[in-house]
Amino acid sequence: MTQTDLAAVANEAHAWFEGYVETFIELAAKGSTDPAPLLDYFSVPISMTTGTAHTVLASAEALSQGLAHELRALRDADYGGSTALDPVVRGLNERAAEIEVTWARQDRQGREFQRVRVLYLTARTDAGWRTVASVILAG
C-alpha cells in the first residue's frame, strides 16, 4: 500500500476551491441568477444540511434550481461580495478533502450582512473536483 500525500491532496483541493470562490463571488456580485457557471463545482446527487433541514438534490435540474434560489436571495440582499475567512482544507484520502470556511457576505456598500460557517466534503471525480456534500455549521 502506498502512502497518500494528504498535504498534496489538500493543496489541490484548495486551489480548486479558490476557483469556485472566485466564480461564485463574481457571478453573485453581478446580480446574476444563472447558476450555469457554478454547476461543474458540484456533484449530483449532492447532500446539503442546515440546522433546520437536510436535502439531497438528486438531479442537475434540482441543483440548478437550488443554486438559482441562493443567487436570487443574494441579489435581493443587495449582495456586493464575500470574503472566505479562515479556510481549513484537509486531505482525507487520495480522492477526498474537507473544506471548512466562514463566508462573510457584504452588501454593495461594504456592510457585512451575513456570516456563515460551511463544511464542504469534496471528491476528485473522473470529471475533476466536485462538492459532494455541504453542511452549515452551528454558529
Side-chain angles (χ1 to χ4, degrees):
M1 187 169 188
T2 62
Q3 184 73 15
T4 299
D5 184 351
L6 295 179
V9 172
N11 289 338
E12 186 180 323
H14 191 244
W16 165 82
F17 186 71
E18 286 179 345
Y20 165 70
V21 168
E22 182 180 314
T23 301
F24 182 89
I25 291 171
E26 181 180 316
L27 187 67
K30 287 193 288 190
S32 175
T33 59
D34 177 9
L38 299 173
L39 295 177
D40 285 344
Y41 289 97
F42 297 91
S43 178
V44 174
I46 183 169
S47 171
M48 298 180 158
T49 306
T50 69
T52 59
H54 171 74
T55 304
V56 175
L57 303 177
S59 69
E61 178 63 25
L63 173 61
S64 184
Q65 289 175 0
L67 291 170
H69 179 271
E70 182 176 0
L71 290 168
R72 279 191 304 276
L74 290 173
R75 181 195 62 202
D76 294 348
D78 196 31
Y79 178 85
S82 292
T83 305
L85 304 173
D86 306 321
V88 176
V89 182
R90 186 168 71 105
L92 301 174
N93 63 34
E94 294 165 359
R95 296 180 68 96
E98 68 176 18
I99 301 169
E100 189 174 326
V101 63
T102 297
W103 290 102
R105 292 178 169 166
Q106 301 91 27
D107 64 18
R108 292 192 184 280
Q109 288 70 44
R111 295 180 300 245
E112 186 175 306
F113 68 88
Q114 183 184 49
R115 192 172 280 221
V116 61
R117 188 101 179 138
V118 182
L119 174 70
Y120 300 93
L121 178 60
T122 63
R124 186 188 314 118
T125 70
D126 291 341
W129 284 95
R130 299 290 187 268
T131 297
V132 299
S134 66
V135 178
I136 305 297
L137 301 175

